[in-house]
Amino acid sequence: MSTKKKKSKPAAEKAAEEKKPELEKAETAAKKPAEKPLKEKQPEPEKKEILEELLKPEETIEAEGGEMSESLIMVRNLEKHYGDLHALDGVSMNIEKGEVVVIIGPSGSGKSTFLRSLNLLEMPTSGEIIFEGVNMLDKHVDINVHRQKMGMVFQHFNLFPHMTIMKNVTIAPMKLLKKSREEAEEKAHELLRRVGLDDRAQSYPSQLSGGQKQRIAIVRALCMEPDVMLFDEPTSALDPEMVGEVLDVMKSLAKEGMTMAVVTHEMGFAKEVADRVVFMADGKILETGSPEEIFSNPKTEKAKQFLASVLS
Amino acid sequence: MTIYAAKTFSEWFADLQARFINDFITDNRWKFLWNGLGVTLKITAGALVIGVLLGFLVAAVRATHDKTGKLRFLNVLAKLYLTVIRGTPVVVQLLITYFVILAPLGVNEVLVAICAFGINSGAYVAEIVRAGIMSIDNGQFEAGRSLGFNYPQTMWYIILPQAFKNILPALCNEFIVLLKETSVSGYVALQDLTKGGDIIRGRTFDAFLPLIAVALIYLVIVLILTKLVSILERRLRSSEH
């Protein structure tokens, strides 16, 4: 593609910019901290609108010049085939730093596949995923390093049953970030306190309820200090009375400015927390916009049908 | 018949005592069993180490291929190994290892037996371990990889500890089979436990006591092994609840 040549330069720019958002985190608790410095650098007023329009692949390629160094994650024309099944059909999307993107759609629409493609748990057939300026699908990229910066929370928690909660949440920081035990456990205690489970540190996962397990799973991902959190239907396997406690943790994360991509059926969460809602069907992004736009004024027939069935 | 029936219990017992002394005490014949036991345990322990190492290695290759499609060439080799070893009797493998491969080089018989039984056992251990790895939910694997662990790290920290717990009974079974299989070591002029009993039989022309003694010794070792494994199993399981 013609886009490839352009990629290397913005990647370097991006790296230089990386340090800035770190500082901002402390300054602004508000969402979208990335907007400010970018506007200072490249004062293009229409840029924001262009970003909103990025759903169509053709436009993306033309409009990219300026945006290349902006978004935390940029996905271009992602395709995934399982044999005859066309699970992802040219999906393009940008995720900005600090943004909460909620992906909704009927089952089999490819939303989970898309989310799992972002950290390459699913290997896309073709396309590009540029995370922090690096094309993850480049053969020379060490995917394990970049996965450390992308926390993932699964529908079925996937805690390690042979380890205590403390071990569950500290093993990755200790082995991968080479933190000392004290350092890792201090961070773990702090995060466990935040989700209200510090007293369960020495328990095993089998002793916890579903909601508690999922909160631990979130802490496990956060202990790696990721730049983005991916949630794959985090409340779908939970008993109804436990959904709230998990959503509360996610809401507080969003408030702190964590970049989040969430696949969920919790429309209430989407309305309340999302900066942007993306509607997917048949492996394509059909609509994208603010929660109000999507929920009160869906444009496509499929989105209308889907929303009618879930909101009733 | 009438003579037997006329025998009193005390006469029968005196006879047994005499045979016992003749079989085990005279000329220190018990040493055949004692030394044989030593050889049997040496072979079993050596073969166990080789079998487990080889088994885990082959299982890692097979499971990696099953999960990722990589290592195609090594996987073909592993499959060939499994087919040949599991498709031929262990006695034949032992004879081939000894007479065809290693005897011309003048290798010590115990070492030959260790290699033959170790390579044999490795094939069975490999399939047990592979089954254990495949039994772990793929979500565990994904959770490990999503944190940034690479494939070997995920295997080592997350998959294998769980798999090991599941396969412990099957592994224990394999070790028992291995111990008992070494009783064919006599084929290559090794004086193991079984051969020791057989030598006594050859000297005293009494089959009953030496062979029963040999059987009892195997039984006791197996019982000890079973007990040890069940202790280990309980300890591993207690960590989960």
Side-chain angles (χ1 to χ4, degrees), chain A residues 116 144 147 150 154 158-163 172 175-176 204 206 220 224, chain B residues 139-140 142-143 145-150 153 157-158 161-162 239-240:
Chain A
R116 290 158 53 81
N144 297 311
R147 277 186 179 142
M150 300 177 123
F154 299 87
N158 299 345
L159 295 179
F160 307 133
H162 59 300
M163 301 175 185
K175 303 289 179 193
L176 295 172
Y204 282 89
S206 59
R220 180 175 67 180
M224 288 296 285
Chain B
Q140 291 291 311
E142 291 182 344
R145 296 305 303 270
S146 77
L147 286 169
F149 286 114
N150 61 27
Q153 287 172 325
Y157 294 125
I158 295 156
Q162 296 182 62
S239 75
E240 226 169 89

PDB file of all heavy atoms in Angstrom, chain A residues 116 144 147 150 154 158-163 172 175-176 204 206 220 224, chain B residues 139-140 142-143 145-150 153 157-158 161-162 239-240:
ATOM      1  N   ARG A 116      -9.855  -8.981  19.913  1.00  0.00           N
ATOM      2  CA  ARG A 116      -8.760  -9.935  20.119  1.00  0.00           C
ATOM      3  C   ARG A 116      -7.672  -9.801  19.055  1.00  0.00           C
ATOM      4  O   ARG A 116      -6.544 -10.247  19.265  1.00  0.00           O
ATOM      5  CB  ARG A 116      -9.316 -11.351  20.139  1.00  0.00           C
ATOM      6  CG  ARG A 116     -10.152 -11.649  21.392  1.00  0.00           C
ATOM      7  CD  ARG A 116     -11.106 -12.805  21.176  1.00  0.00           C
ATOM      8  NE  ARG A 116     -10.429 -13.991  20.678  1.00  0.00           N
ATOM      9  CZ  ARG A 116      -9.769 -14.847  21.465  1.00  0.00           C
ATOM     10  NH1 ARG A 116      -9.754 -14.666  22.749  1.00  0.00           N
ATOM     11  NH2 ARG A 116      -9.146 -15.882  20.962  1.00  0.00           N
ATOM     12  N   ASN A 144       5.408  -9.663  22.110  1.00  0.00           N
ATOM     13  CA  ASN A 144       5.295  -9.827  23.569  1.00  0.00           C
ATOM     14  C   ASN A 144       5.554  -8.519  24.314  1.00  0.00           C
ATOM     15  O   ASN A 144       4.957  -8.259  25.353  1.00  0.00           O
ATOM     16  CB  ASN A 144       6.261 -10.899  24.043  1.00  0.00           C
ATOM     17  CG  ASN A 144       5.926 -12.245  23.437  1.00  0.00           C
ATOM     18  OD1 ASN A 144       4.783 -12.677  23.459  1.00  0.00           O
ATOM     19  ND2 ASN A 144       6.920 -12.891  22.854  1.00  0.00           N
ATOM     20  N   ARG A 147       2.387  -6.396  23.903  1.00  0.00           N
ATOM     21  CA  ARG A 147       1.254  -6.938  24.674  1.00  0.00           C
ATOM     22  C   ARG A 147       1.330  -6.502  26.135  1.00  0.00           C
ATOM     23  O   ARG A 147       0.322  -6.398  26.817  1.00  0.00           O
ATOM     24  CB  ARG A 147       1.242  -8.460  24.601  1.00  0.00           C
ATOM     25  CG  ARG A 147       0.585  -8.997  23.345  1.00  0.00           C
ATOM     26  CD  ARG A 147       0.490 -10.490  23.431  1.00  0.00           C
ATOM     27  NE  ARG A 147      -0.161 -11.045  22.253  1.00  0.00           N
ATOM     28  CZ  ARG A 147       0.211 -12.179  21.684  1.00  0.00           C
ATOM     29  NH1 ARG A 147       1.232 -12.843  22.171  1.00  0.00           N
ATOM     30  NH2 ARG A 147      -0.428 -12.639  20.631  1.00  0.00           N
ATOM     31  N   MET A 150      -0.798  -3.637  26.644  1.00  0.00           N
ATOM     32  CA  MET A 150      -2.232  -3.771  26.364  1.00  0.00           C
ATOM     33  C   MET A 150      -2.822  -4.767  27.345  1.00  0.00           C
ATOM     34  O   MET A 150      -2.625  -5.969  27.221  1.00  0.00           O
ATOM     35  CB  MET A 150      -2.441  -4.314  24.949  1.00  0.00           C
ATOM     36  CG  MET A 150      -1.873  -3.458  23.839  1.00  0.00           C
ATOM     37  SD  MET A 150      -2.140  -4.286  22.255  1.00  0.00           S
ATOM     38  CE  MET A 150      -3.043  -3.036  21.385  1.00  0.00           C
ATOM     39  N   PHE A 154     -10.936 -10.934  30.081  1.00  0.00           N
ATOM     40  CA  PHE A 154     -11.688 -11.914  29.299  1.00  0.00           C
ATOM     41  C   PHE A 154     -13.071 -12.152  29.897  1.00  0.00           C
ATOM     42  O   PHE A 154     -13.311 -11.926  31.081  1.00  0.00           O
ATOM     43  CB  PHE A 154     -10.936 -13.242  29.267  1.00  0.00           C
ATOM     44  CG  PHE A 154      -9.581 -13.160  28.643  1.00  0.00           C
ATOM     45  CD1 PHE A 154      -8.469 -12.817  29.403  1.00  0.00           C
ATOM     46  CD2 PHE A 154      -9.407 -13.428  27.296  1.00  0.00           C
ATOM     47  CE1 PHE A 154      -7.221 -12.743  28.824  1.00  0.00           C
ATOM     48  CE2 PHE A 154      -8.156 -13.357  26.717  1.00  0.00           C
ATOM     49  CZ  PHE A 154      -7.059 -13.007  27.486  1.00  0.00           C
ATOM     50  N   ASN A 158     -10.265 -16.160  33.299  1.00  0.00           N
ATOM     51  CA  ASN A 158      -8.979 -16.812  33.043  1.00  0.00           C
ATOM     52  C   ASN A 158      -7.922 -16.473  34.078  1.00  0.00           C
ATOM     53  O   ASN A 158      -6.761 -16.246  33.752  1.00  0.00           O
ATOM     54  CB  ASN A 158      -8.454 -16.463  31.640  1.00  0.00           C
ATOM     55  CG  ASN A 158      -9.395 -16.934  30.547  1.00  0.00           C
ATOM     56  OD1 ASN A 158     -10.274 -17.744  30.803  1.00  0.00           O
ATOM     57  ND2 ASN A 158      -9.210 -16.429  29.350  1.00  0.00           N
ATOM     58  N   LEU A 159      -8.322 -16.462  35.342  1.00  0.00           N
ATOM     59  CA  LEU A 159      -7.310 -16.357  36.396  1.00  0.00           C
ATOM     60  C   LEU A 159      -6.552 -17.676  36.454  1.00  0.00           C
ATOM     61  O   LEU A 159      -7.048 -18.708  36.019  1.00  0.00           O
ATOM     62  CB  LEU A 159      -7.977 -16.084  37.750  1.00  0.00           C
ATOM     63  CG  LEU A 159      -8.692 -14.741  37.876  1.00  0.00           C
ATOM     64  CD1 LEU A 159      -9.315 -14.609  39.252  1.00  0.00           C
ATOM     65  CD2 LEU A 159      -7.734 -13.593  37.629  1.00  0.00           C
ATOM     66  N   PHE A 160      -5.331 -17.629  37.010  1.00  0.00           N
ATOM     67  CA  PHE A 160      -4.540 -18.853  37.088  1.00  0.00           C
ATOM     68  C   PHE A 160      -4.921 -19.602  38.366  1.00  0.00           C
ATOM     69  O   PHE A 160      -4.622 -19.139  39.469  1.00  0.00           O
ATOM     70  CB  PHE A 160      -3.052 -18.522  37.075  1.00  0.00           C
ATOM     71  CG  PHE A 160      -2.660 -17.639  35.914  1.00  0.00           C
ATOM     72  CD1 PHE A 160      -1.862 -16.523  36.107  1.00  0.00           C
ATOM     73  CD2 PHE A 160      -3.098 -17.930  34.634  1.00  0.00           C
ATOM     74  CE1 PHE A 160      -1.509 -15.707  35.039  1.00  0.00           C
ATOM     75  CE2 PHE A 160      -2.759 -17.122  33.560  1.00  0.00           C
ATOM     76  CZ  PHE A 160      -1.961 -16.006  33.767  1.00  0.00           C
ATOM     77  N   PRO A 161      -5.567 -20.766  38.241  1.00  0.00           N
ATOM     78  CA  PRO A 161      -6.146 -21.418  39.425  1.00  0.00           C
ATOM     79  C   PRO A 161      -5.105 -21.973  40.385  1.00  0.00           C
ATOM     80  O   PRO A 161      -5.419 -22.229  41.538  1.00  0.00           O
ATOM     81  CB  PRO A 161      -6.979 -22.562  38.826  1.00  0.00           C
ATOM     82  CG  PRO A 161      -6.393 -22.814  37.489  1.00  0.00           C
ATOM     83  CD  PRO A 161      -5.840 -21.508  37.007  1.00  0.00           C
ATOM     84  N   HIS A 162      -3.874 -22.167  39.912  1.00  0.00           N
ATOM     85  CA  HIS A 162      -2.861 -22.772  40.780  1.00  0.00           C
ATOM     86  C   HIS A 162      -2.067 -21.725  41.553  1.00  0.00           C
ATOM     87  O   HIS A 162      -1.114 -22.062  42.240  1.00  0.00           O
ATOM     88  CB  HIS A 162      -1.926 -23.648  39.962  1.00  0.00           C
ATOM     89  CG  HIS A 162      -1.197 -22.912  38.865  1.00  0.00           C
ATOM     90  ND1 HIS A 162      -1.857 -22.260  37.845  1.00  0.00           N
ATOM     91  CD2 HIS A 162       0.114 -22.723  38.638  1.00  0.00           C
ATOM     92  CE1 HIS A 162      -0.968 -21.718  37.038  1.00  0.00           C
ATOM     93  NE2 HIS A 162       0.229 -21.975  37.491  1.00  0.00           N
ATOM     94  N   MET A 163      -2.464 -20.460  41.450  1.00  0.00           N
ATOM     95  CA  MET A 163      -1.741 -19.408  42.162  1.00  0.00           C
ATOM     96  C   MET A 163      -2.704 -18.639  43.072  1.00  0.00           C
ATOM     97  O   MET A 163      -3.876 -18.515  42.759  1.00  0.00           O
ATOM     98  CB  MET A 163      -1.152 -18.393  41.172  1.00  0.00           C
ATOM     99  CG  MET A 163      -0.198 -18.973  40.165  1.00  0.00           C
ATOM    100  SD  MET A 163       0.271 -17.693  38.999  1.00  0.00           S
ATOM    101  CE  MET A 163       1.245 -18.656  37.851  1.00  0.00           C
ATOM    102  N   ALA A 172       3.329 -11.473  36.465  1.00  0.00           N
ATOM    103  CA  ALA A 172       3.751 -10.815  35.227  1.00  0.00           C
ATOM    104  C   ALA A 172       4.687  -9.623  35.494  1.00  0.00           C
ATOM    105  O   ALA A 172       5.742  -9.527  34.872  1.00  0.00           O
ATOM    106  CB  ALA A 172       2.530 -10.398  34.412  1.00  0.00           C
ATOM    107  N   LYS A 175       8.125 -11.152  36.573  1.00  0.00           N
ATOM    108  CA  LYS A 175       8.895 -11.885  35.558  1.00  0.00           C
ATOM    109  C   LYS A 175       9.182 -11.031  34.331  1.00  0.00           C
ATOM    110  O   LYS A 175      10.223 -11.176  33.712  1.00  0.00           O
ATOM    111  CB  LYS A 175       8.142 -13.140  35.112  1.00  0.00           C
ATOM    112  CG  LYS A 175       7.789 -14.101  36.222  1.00  0.00           C
ATOM    113  CD  LYS A 175       9.018 -14.806  36.762  1.00  0.00           C
ATOM    114  CE  LYS A 175       8.636 -15.741  37.892  1.00  0.00           C
ATOM    115  NZ  LYS A 175       9.791 -16.212  38.655  1.00  0.00           N
ATOM    116  N   LEU A 176       8.242 -10.162  33.970  1.00  0.00           N
ATOM    117  CA  LEU A 176       8.395  -9.439  32.703  1.00  0.00           C
ATOM    118  C   LEU A 176       8.964  -8.032  32.899  1.00  0.00           C
ATOM    119  O   LEU A 176       9.812  -7.596  32.143  1.00  0.00           O
ATOM    120  CB  LEU A 176       7.054  -9.360  31.978  1.00  0.00           C
ATOM    121  CG  LEU A 176       6.501 -10.714  31.526  1.00  0.00           C
ATOM    122  CD1 LEU A 176       5.087 -10.564  30.999  1.00  0.00           C
ATOM    123  CD2 LEU A 176       7.396 -11.333  30.460  1.00  0.00           C
ATOM    124  N   TYR A 204      -7.300 -18.382  46.865  1.00  0.00           N
ATOM    125  CA  TYR A 204      -7.154 -18.915  45.513  1.00  0.00           C
ATOM    126  C   TYR A 204      -8.400 -18.538  44.708  1.00  0.00           C
ATOM    127  O   TYR A 204      -9.476 -18.342  45.283  1.00  0.00           O
ATOM    128  CB  TYR A 204      -6.986 -20.437  45.559  1.00  0.00           C
ATOM    129  CG  TYR A 204      -5.589 -20.833  45.950  1.00  0.00           C
ATOM    130  CD1 TYR A 204      -5.243 -20.997  47.288  1.00  0.00           C
ATOM    131  CD2 TYR A 204      -4.603 -21.022  44.991  1.00  0.00           C
ATOM    132  CE1 TYR A 204      -3.952 -21.343  47.657  1.00  0.00           C
ATOM    133  CE2 TYR A 204      -3.312 -21.368  45.344  1.00  0.00           C
ATOM    134  CZ  TYR A 204      -2.988 -21.526  46.672  1.00  0.00           C
ATOM    135  OH  TYR A 204      -1.725 -21.855  47.020  1.00  0.00           O
ATOM    136  N   SER A 206     -10.505 -20.137  43.072  1.00  0.00           N
ATOM    137  CA  SER A 206     -11.699 -20.975  43.250  1.00  0.00           C
ATOM    138  C   SER A 206     -12.517 -20.561  44.474  1.00  0.00           C
ATOM    139  O   SER A 206     -13.659 -20.975  44.624  1.00  0.00           O
ATOM    140  CB  SER A 206     -11.287 -22.439  43.381  1.00  0.00           C
ATOM    141  OG  SER A 206     -10.412 -22.599  44.480  1.00  0.00           O
ATOM    142  N   ARG A 220      -5.109  -7.701  37.659  1.00  0.00           N
ATOM    143  CA  ARG A 220      -3.966  -8.400  37.065  1.00  0.00           C
ATOM    144  C   ARG A 220      -3.464  -7.659  35.822  1.00  0.00           C
ATOM    145  O   ARG A 220      -2.254  -7.488  35.628  1.00  0.00           O
ATOM    146  CB  ARG A 220      -4.359  -9.835  36.689  1.00  0.00           C
ATOM    147  CG  ARG A 220      -3.224 -10.618  36.066  1.00  0.00           C
ATOM    148  CD  ARG A 220      -3.597 -12.055  35.809  1.00  0.00           C
ATOM    149  NE  ARG A 220      -4.620 -12.182  34.771  1.00  0.00           N
ATOM    150  CZ  ARG A 220      -5.127 -13.340  34.359  1.00  0.00           C
ATOM    151  NH1 ARG A 220      -4.715 -14.468  34.906  1.00  0.00           N
ATOM    152  NH2 ARG A 220      -6.038 -13.379  33.412  1.00  0.00           N
ATOM    153  N   MET A 224       0.348  -4.476  35.171  1.00  0.00           N
ATOM    154  CA  MET A 224       1.375  -4.313  34.139  1.00  0.00           C
ATOM    155  C   MET A 224       1.450  -2.859  33.664  1.00  0.00           C
ATOM    156  O   MET A 224       2.188  -2.547  32.743  1.00  0.00           O
ATOM    157  CB  MET A 224       1.081  -5.230  32.949  1.00  0.00           C
ATOM    158  CG  MET A 224       1.329  -6.687  33.237  1.00  0.00           C
ATOM    159  SD  MET A 224       3.062  -7.038  33.590  1.00  0.00           S
ATOM    160  CE  MET A 224       3.773  -6.958  31.950  1.00  0.00           C
TER     161      MET A 224
ATOM    162  N   GLY B 139      -8.100 -20.563  27.409  1.00  0.00           N
ATOM    163  CA  GLY B 139      -8.152 -19.238  28.039  1.00  0.00           C
ATOM    164  C   GLY B 139      -6.946 -18.978  28.923  1.00  0.00           C
ATOM    165  O   GLY B 139      -6.471 -17.845  29.027  1.00  0.00           O
ATOM    166  N   GLN B 140      -6.436 -20.020  29.572  1.00  0.00           N
ATOM    167  CA  GLN B 140      -5.236 -19.884  30.403  1.00  0.00           C
ATOM    168  C   GLN B 140      -4.064 -19.442  29.552  1.00  0.00           C
ATOM    169  O   GLN B 140      -3.263 -18.589  29.928  1.00  0.00           O
ATOM    170  CB  GLN B 140      -4.910 -21.227  31.070  1.00  0.00           C
ATOM    171  CG  GLN B 140      -5.912 -21.639  32.109  1.00  0.00           C
ATOM    172  CD  GLN B 140      -5.826 -20.740  33.319  1.00  0.00           C
ATOM    173  OE1 GLN B 140      -4.751 -20.501  33.847  1.00  0.00           O
ATOM    174  NE2 GLN B 140      -6.946 -20.222  33.756  1.00  0.00           N
ATOM    175  N   GLU B 142      -4.264 -17.923  26.623  1.00  0.00           N
ATOM    176  CA  GLU B 142      -4.481 -16.558  26.135  1.00  0.00           C
ATOM    177  C   GLU B 142      -4.195 -15.529  27.228  1.00  0.00           C
ATOM    178  O   GLU B 142      -3.632 -14.470  26.954  1.00  0.00           O
ATOM    179  CB  GLU B 142      -5.916 -16.405  25.634  1.00  0.00           C
ATOM    180  CG  GLU B 142      -6.183 -17.189  24.374  1.00  0.00           C
ATOM    181  CD  GLU B 142      -7.588 -16.995  23.856  1.00  0.00           C
ATOM    182  OE1 GLU B 142      -8.433 -16.505  24.621  1.00  0.00           O
ATOM    183  OE2 GLU B 142      -7.823 -17.343  22.692  1.00  0.00           O
ATOM    184  N   ALA B 143      -4.598 -15.870  28.459  1.00  0.00           N
ATOM    185  CA  ALA B 143      -4.347 -14.934  29.564  1.00  0.00           C
ATOM    186  C   ALA B 143      -2.850 -14.711  29.720  1.00  0.00           C
ATOM    187  O   ALA B 143      -2.392 -13.582  29.884  1.00  0.00           O
ATOM    188  CB  ALA B 143      -4.950 -15.477  30.855  1.00  0.00           C
ATOM    189  N   ARG B 145      -0.465 -15.126  27.433  1.00  0.00           N
ATOM    190  CA  ARG B 145       0.094 -14.400  26.296  1.00  0.00           C
ATOM    191  C   ARG B 145      -0.324 -12.931  26.335  1.00  0.00           C
ATOM    192  O   ARG B 145       0.447 -12.047  25.979  1.00  0.00           O
ATOM    193  CB  ARG B 145      -0.359 -15.021  24.960  1.00  0.00           C
ATOM    194  CG  ARG B 145       0.126 -16.438  24.726  1.00  0.00           C
ATOM    195  CD  ARG B 145       1.613 -16.600  24.816  1.00  0.00           C
ATOM    196  NE  ARG B 145       2.383 -15.769  23.911  1.00  0.00           N
ATOM    197  CZ  ARG B 145       2.746 -16.110  22.682  1.00  0.00           C
ATOM    198  NH1 ARG B 145       2.400 -17.263  22.186  1.00  0.00           N
ATOM    199  NH2 ARG B 145       3.486 -15.294  21.945  1.00  0.00           N
ATOM    200  N   SER B 146      -1.554 -12.659  26.783  1.00  0.00           N
ATOM    201  CA  SER B 146      -2.029 -11.267  26.773  1.00  0.00           C
ATOM    202  C   SER B 146      -1.268 -10.419  27.795  1.00  0.00           C
ATOM    203  O   SER B 146      -1.192  -9.206  27.657  1.00  0.00           O
ATOM    204  CB  SER B 146      -3.534 -11.200  27.052  1.00  0.00           C
ATOM    205  OG  SER B 146      -3.788 -11.388  28.436  1.00  0.00           O
ATOM    206  N   LEU B 147      -0.707 -11.067  28.816  1.00  0.00           N
ATOM    207  CA  LEU B 147       0.092 -10.305  29.779  1.00  0.00           C
ATOM    208  C   LEU B 147       1.474  -9.975  29.227  1.00  0.00           C
ATOM    209  O   LEU B 147       2.176  -9.133  29.772  1.00  0.00           O
ATOM    210  CB  LEU B 147       0.245 -11.097  31.075  1.00  0.00           C
ATOM    211  CG  LEU B 147      -0.992 -11.160  31.975  1.00  0.00           C
ATOM    212  CD1 LEU B 147      -0.793 -12.181  33.064  1.00  0.00           C
ATOM    213  CD2 LEU B 147      -1.282  -9.796  32.579  1.00  0.00           C
ATOM    214  N   GLY B 148       1.860 -10.672  28.162  1.00  0.00           N
ATOM    215  CA  GLY B 148       3.163 -10.410  27.554  1.00  0.00           C
ATOM    216  C   GLY B 148       4.142 -11.560  27.700  1.00  0.00           C
ATOM    217  O   GLY B 148       5.287 -11.453  27.266  1.00  0.00           O
ATOM    218  N   PHE B 149       3.704 -12.663  28.314  1.00  0.00           N
ATOM    219  CA  PHE B 149       4.587 -13.832  28.379  1.00  0.00           C
ATOM    220  C   PHE B 149       4.740 -14.415  26.980  1.00  0.00           C
ATOM    221  O   PHE B 149       3.770 -14.463  26.223  1.00  0.00           O
ATOM    222  CB  PHE B 149       3.991 -14.908  29.296  1.00  0.00           C
ATOM    223  CG  PHE B 149       4.090 -14.589  30.756  1.00  0.00           C
ATOM    224  CD1 PHE B 149       2.959 -14.361  31.511  1.00  0.00           C
ATOM    225  CD2 PHE B 149       5.333 -14.519  31.370  1.00  0.00           C
ATOM    226  CE1 PHE B 149       3.054 -14.063  32.867  1.00  0.00           C
ATOM    227  CE2 PHE B 149       5.436 -14.225  32.720  1.00  0.00           C
ATOM    228  CZ  PHE B 149       4.297 -13.999  33.470  1.00  0.00           C
ATOM    229  N   ASN B 150       5.950 -14.871  26.655  1.00  0.00           N
ATOM    230  CA  ASN B 150       6.102 -15.549  25.374  1.00  0.00           C
ATOM    231  C   ASN B 150       5.657 -17.002  25.517  1.00  0.00           C
ATOM    232  O   ASN B 150       5.258 -17.436  26.602  1.00  0.00           O
ATOM    233  CB  ASN B 150       7.541 -15.431  24.848  1.00  0.00           C
ATOM    234  CG  ASN B 150       8.550 -16.058  25.789  1.00  0.00           C
ATOM    235  OD1 ASN B 150       8.218 -16.974  26.543  1.00  0.00           O
ATOM    236  ND2 ASN B 150       9.774 -15.571  25.765  1.00  0.00           N
ATOM    237  N   GLN B 153       7.476 -19.190  28.240  1.00  0.00           N
ATOM    238  CA  GLN B 153       7.159 -18.688  29.589  1.00  0.00           C
ATOM    239  C   GLN B 153       5.734 -19.073  29.986  1.00  0.00           C
ATOM    240  O   GLN B 153       5.482 -19.471  31.123  1.00  0.00           O
ATOM    241  CB  GLN B 153       7.302 -17.161  29.639  1.00  0.00           C
ATOM    242  CG  GLN B 153       8.739 -16.683  29.619  1.00  0.00           C
ATOM    243  CD  GLN B 153       8.826 -15.183  29.465  1.00  0.00           C
ATOM    244  OE1 GLN B 153       8.010 -14.565  28.770  1.00  0.00           O
ATOM    245  NE2 GLN B 153       9.819 -14.575  30.092  1.00  0.00           N
ATOM    246  N   TYR B 157       5.238 -21.217  33.328  1.00  0.00           N
ATOM    247  CA  TYR B 157       4.639 -20.637  34.532  1.00  0.00           C
ATOM    248  C   TYR B 157       3.164 -21.002  34.699  1.00  0.00           C
ATOM    249  O   TYR B 157       2.651 -21.048  35.813  1.00  0.00           O
ATOM    250  CB  TYR B 157       4.754 -19.110  34.515  1.00  0.00           C
ATOM    251  CG  TYR B 157       6.162 -18.595  34.613  1.00  0.00           C
ATOM    252  CD1 TYR B 157       6.674 -17.731  33.654  1.00  0.00           C
ATOM    253  CD2 TYR B 157       6.980 -18.970  35.671  1.00  0.00           C
ATOM    254  CE1 TYR B 157       7.977 -17.261  33.744  1.00  0.00           C
ATOM    255  CE2 TYR B 157       8.278 -18.511  35.762  1.00  0.00           C
ATOM    256  CZ  TYR B 157       8.764 -17.645  34.804  1.00  0.00           C
ATOM    257  OH  TYR B 157      10.029 -17.188  34.896  1.00  0.00           O
ATOM    258  N   ILE B 158       2.476 -21.199  33.584  1.00  0.00           N
ATOM    259  CA  ILE B 158       1.021 -21.285  33.670  1.00  0.00           C
ATOM    260  C   ILE B 158       0.474 -22.652  33.262  1.00  0.00           C
ATOM    261  O   ILE B 158      -0.330 -23.237  33.983  1.00  0.00           O
ATOM    262  CB  ILE B 158       0.390 -20.174  32.808  1.00  0.00           C
ATOM    263  CG1 ILE B 158       0.758 -18.828  33.420  1.00  0.00           C
ATOM    264  CG2 ILE B 158      -1.116 -20.319  32.729  1.00  0.00           C
ATOM    265  CD1 ILE B 158       0.729 -17.679  32.487  1.00  0.00           C
ATOM    266  N   PRO B 161       2.442 -26.308  35.206  1.00  0.00           N
ATOM    267  CA  PRO B 161       2.096 -26.611  36.607  1.00  0.00           C
ATOM    268  C   PRO B 161       0.679 -27.166  36.750  1.00  0.00           C
ATOM    269  O   PRO B 161       0.441 -28.056  37.554  1.00  0.00           O
ATOM    270  CB  PRO B 161       2.206 -25.246  37.305  1.00  0.00           C
ATOM    271  CG  PRO B 161       3.098 -24.442  36.447  1.00  0.00           C
ATOM    272  CD  PRO B 161       2.865 -24.911  35.046  1.00  0.00           C
ATOM    273  N   GLN B 162      -0.247 -26.640  35.951  1.00  0.00           N
ATOM    274  CA  GLN B 162      -1.622 -27.146  36.015  1.00  0.00           C
ATOM    275  C   GLN B 162      -1.726 -28.518  35.366  1.00  0.00           C
ATOM    276  O   GLN B 162      -2.418 -29.408  35.859  1.00  0.00           O
ATOM    277  CB  GLN B 162      -2.566 -26.181  35.306  1.00  0.00           C
ATOM    278  CG  GLN B 162      -2.640 -24.827  35.960  1.00  0.00           C
ATOM    279  CD  GLN B 162      -3.628 -23.922  35.247  1.00  0.00           C
ATOM    280  OE1 GLN B 162      -4.810 -24.198  35.168  1.00  0.00           O
ATOM    281  NE2 GLN B 162      -3.134 -22.827  34.700  1.00  0.00           N
ATOM    282  N   SER B 239      -3.287 -26.986  47.492  1.00  0.00           N
ATOM    283  CA  SER B 239      -2.916 -25.605  47.178  1.00  0.00           C
ATOM    284  C   SER B 239      -4.029 -24.878  46.442  1.00  0.00           C
ATOM    285  O   SER B 239      -3.959 -23.685  46.236  1.00  0.00           O
ATOM    286  CB  SER B 239      -1.645 -25.579  46.333  1.00  0.00           C
ATOM    287  OG  SER B 239      -1.924 -25.971  45.011  1.00  0.00           O
ATOM    288  N   GLU B 240      -5.058 -25.630  46.018  1.00  0.00           N
ATOM    289  CA  GLU B 240      -6.083 -24.965  45.226  1.00  0.00           C
ATOM    290  C   GLU B 240      -7.306 -24.613  46.051  1.00  0.00           C
ATOM    291  O   GLU B 240      -8.145 -23.854  45.613  1.00  0.00           O
ATOM    292  CB  GLU B 240      -6.476 -25.861  44.051  1.00  0.00           C
ATOM    293  CG  GLU B 240      -6.557 -25.094  42.754  1.00  0.00           C
ATOM    294  CD  GLU B 240      -6.691 -26.021  41.577  1.00  0.00           C
ATOM    295  OE1 GLU B 240      -7.820 -26.346  41.235  1.00  0.00           O
ATOM    296  OE2 GLU B 240      -5.660 -26.426  41.010  1.00  0.00           O
TER     297      GLU B 240
END
